[in-house]
Amino acid sequence: MDINVKVKNDLQIRAFYLFFIVTGTQIGVGMMGYPMYVYNEAKQDSWISILIAYVYLMVVVYVMYLILKQYKNADILGIQVDVFGKWIGKLLGTIYMIHFTVGLITVFVTYIEVVQIFIFPQLSSFVMGGLLLILIIYGALGGLRVIVGVAFIFFFLTQWLLFLFYEPIMKMEFNNFQPYFEATIPELLQGAKKTTFTFVGFEILFFVYPFIQNKQKAKRPIFLGITYTALIALLQMVIAIGFFSPGLLAQLEWAVLTLFKGSKLPFINRIDFIVIAEWIMVIVPVMLLLIWMITYGMKRLYNIPRKFTLFTVALLLFISCGFISRHTYVIKLTDAYSVISFWIVYVYPFILLPIVWIKRRWDKKRKGGGKK
């Protein structure tokens, strides 16, 4: 496997689109219910946990950027093979593929579960899953540029949902934020850790970086994308704290979706139905980008045709529909994915960076010694 990726000009994308790629992978089903989990750790100071998580995200992304900058045009799969050797490097790459597959299944089954809970309780999971799979397969067959185009268009088609927070904001009770700064530092950090599932997805930078045409401009859209996602999460957290009573928020699994129930339009009785239907435009880019990383990674690691991987993963997703009726399984899967993601996405880059630095310097010294 080549360390550096050779990408044809017609497959490259502009750095500008990294903003939509990052937001497309981060804003998904995790945004629907994270306030309860953060609130149970940091209470009324949960908004501080969001800020802490944001700062840490910026540091992680910068570390990822430093790793990628050490190579001409490599992705994480090539870097790991270069640093750890063929077998260990491929094993670590396979762990990434498993990570993305579990994440894809989690997003897939969670959205179907939400549709069943809020809109169609009697709808078969396999019917809904089959319809989603048609969209996923059709979009994935178009390749990365089509997927990025979907993320770009759907981003703008979903921004109107933010205006629906107007009425919940007007009904906020600011006494819910008192007493201020009561949470301890460990509680705030635990609250920040609970955002793992919400913010995960930006690791796509490790895979899409070789496809960026103007890499010198890549840093700004990445940081802007993470900042935008964090602002959305912060806004929702603040509204949830102010709108719901403390006892209710601590038990409300789908807090953000419940916020939309507080919004009313004269011509629509249940606005939350529209929101959940519209949310498909939020989760489709997430699933498309995840399945692209899986098919791309399996092609790079084991030279497995992308279509074979695509239909194999689609079959796994369809089978997973049978477990949606067992809510505890979905919760356990989400929790397990959050734990795995924390170590792979939030910790591993800090371990990898010094190893890459040492390896690159050792290679330079060896080449310099060879010239002498």
Side-chain angles (χ1 to χ4, degrees):
M1 184 176 72
D2 294 333
I3 305 303
N4 290 295
V5 183
K6 297 177 182 179
V7 181
K8 297 179 181 179
N9 291 334
D10 60 343
L11 297 177
Q12 294 178 353
I13 57 176
R14 303 287 294 175
F16 164 77
Y17 291 102
L18 280 171
F19 174 89
F20 303 98
I21 293 173
V22 170
T23 57
T25 51
Q26 286 191 303
I27 302 177
V29 294
M31 283 286 181
M32 294 179 177
Y34 75 93
M36 181 189 75
Y37 300 98
V38 181
Y39 186 82
N40 283 331
E41 299 293 340
K43 299 302 185 245
Q44 68 273 11
D45 292 326
S46 296
W47 59 274
I48 302 177
S49 293
I50 303 296
L51 293 177
I52 293 172
Y54 165 66
V55 173
Y56 187 76
L57 280 176
M58 297 292 276
V59 176
V60 174
V61 172
Y62 185 69
V63 170
M64 293 169 62
Y65 185 76
L66 290 177
I67 293 171
L68 292 167
K69 287 287 288 181
Q70 304 303 311
Y71 294 84
K72 181 180 178 181
N73 201 46
D75 56 16
I76 187 63
L77 304 177
I79 292 171
Q80 290 178 148
V81 169
D82 179 55
V83 173
F84 300 108
K86 180 181 178 181
W87 298 110
I88 296 178
K90 285 192 173 185
L91 175 63
L92 293 172
T94 304
I95 292 174
Y96 265 104
M97 297 303 103
I98 296 172
H99 162 70
F100 292 134
T101 303
V102 174
L104 179 60
I105 293 173
T106 303
V107 173
F108 184 76
V109 299
T110 302
Y111 181 72
I112 295 174
E113 183 184 35
V114 168
V115 172
Q116 290 178 331
I117 292 173
F118 284 86
I119 305 181
F120 301 117
Q122 304 302 320
L123 178 67
S124 169
S125 301
F126 291 100
V127 172
M128 183 65 193
L131 293 173
L132 273 177
L133 284 174
I134 292 173
L135 289 175
I136 295 169
I137 293 172
Y138 182 74
L141 288 174
L144 179 61
R145 296 186 70 170
V146 170
I147 294 172
V148 173
V150 170
F152 174 79
I153 294 172
F154 281 11
F155 174 85
F156 291 104
L157 290 178
T158 55
Q159 294 310 295
W160 68 272
L161 293 173
L162 295 175
F163 293 101
L164 297 179
F165 287 127
Y166 172 78
E167 196 161 342
I169 290 174
M170 294 296 101
K171 296 178 180 179
M172 286 174 59
E173 179 56 64
F174 289 95
N175 289 332
N176 290 348
F177 293 91
Q178 297 177 354
Y180 301 107
F181 310 113
E182 186 182 44
T184 63
I185 292 178
E187 289 172 341
L188 292 174
L189 293 177
Q190 282 297 320
K193 189 177 179 180
K194 289 296 183 180
T195 64
T196 298
F197 181 65
T198 304
F199 287 137
V200 76
F202 62 91
E203 67 273 20
I204 192 174
L205 175 64
F206 268 151
F207 293 82
V208 78
Y209 187 78
F211 293 84
I212 303 303
Q213 193 176 59
N214 49 334
K215 292 179 174 58
Q216 70 279 6
K217 297 182 179 180
K219 195 183 301 182
R220 180 177 294 178
I222 296 169
F223 288 137
L224 287 176
I226 291 173
T227 301
Y228 180 82
T229 304
L231 287 174
I232 296 297
L234 180 63
L235 173 66
Q236 292 177 346
M237 189 75 246
V238 169
I239 297 173
I241 295 172
F243 185 78
F244 298 112
S245 64
L248 178 59
L249 182 56
Q251 303 175 21
L252 198 57
E253 188 172 356
W254 304 110
V256 174
L257 292 180
T258 308
L259 280 175
F260 288 112
K261 285 187 176 182
S263 300
K264 295 180 181 179
L265 296 175
F267 52 90
I268 298 177
N269 188 29
R270 291 292 301 273
I271 191 67
D272 54 314
F273 284 9
I274 305 297
V275 170
I276 294 169
E278 176 79 0
W279 211 272
I280 196 171
M281 293 190 181
V282 177
I283 61 106
V284 163
V286 180
M287 293 190 292
L288 287 177
L289 289 165
L290 284 172
I291 206 165
W292 175 82
M293 285 189 285
I294 296 167
T295 57
Y296 166 77
M298 295 303 290
K299 177 70 174 179
R300 279 274 285 160
L301 290 170
Y302 304 108
N303 201 31
I304 298 175
R306 293 190 178 185
K307 286 186 178 180
F308 179 82
T309 304
L310 172 63
F311 288 110
T312 301
V313 173
L315 179 61
L316 286 175
L317 291 174
F318 190 72
I319 294 173
S320 69
C321 292
F323 297 92
I324 295 174
S325 59
R326 303 180 182 182
H327 181 66
T328 54
Y329 288 179
V330 178
I331 295 297
K332 288 180 179 179
L333 180 66
T334 304
D335 291 342
Y337 177 68
S338 298
V339 173
I340 296 170
S341 298
F342 178 76
W343 292 102
I344 293 177
V345 180
Y346 293 84
V347 177
Y348 177 60
F350 291 96
I351 300 173
L352 183 61
L353 179 60
I355 298 175
V356 169
W357 275 342
I358 294 170
K359 177 67 167 57
R360 299 301 289 176
R361 289 180 181 179
W362 185 76
D363 287 344
K364 288 180 180 179
K365 287 183 179 180
R366 187 179 59 177
K367 290 180 180 179
K371 289 181 181 180
K372 291 180 181 179

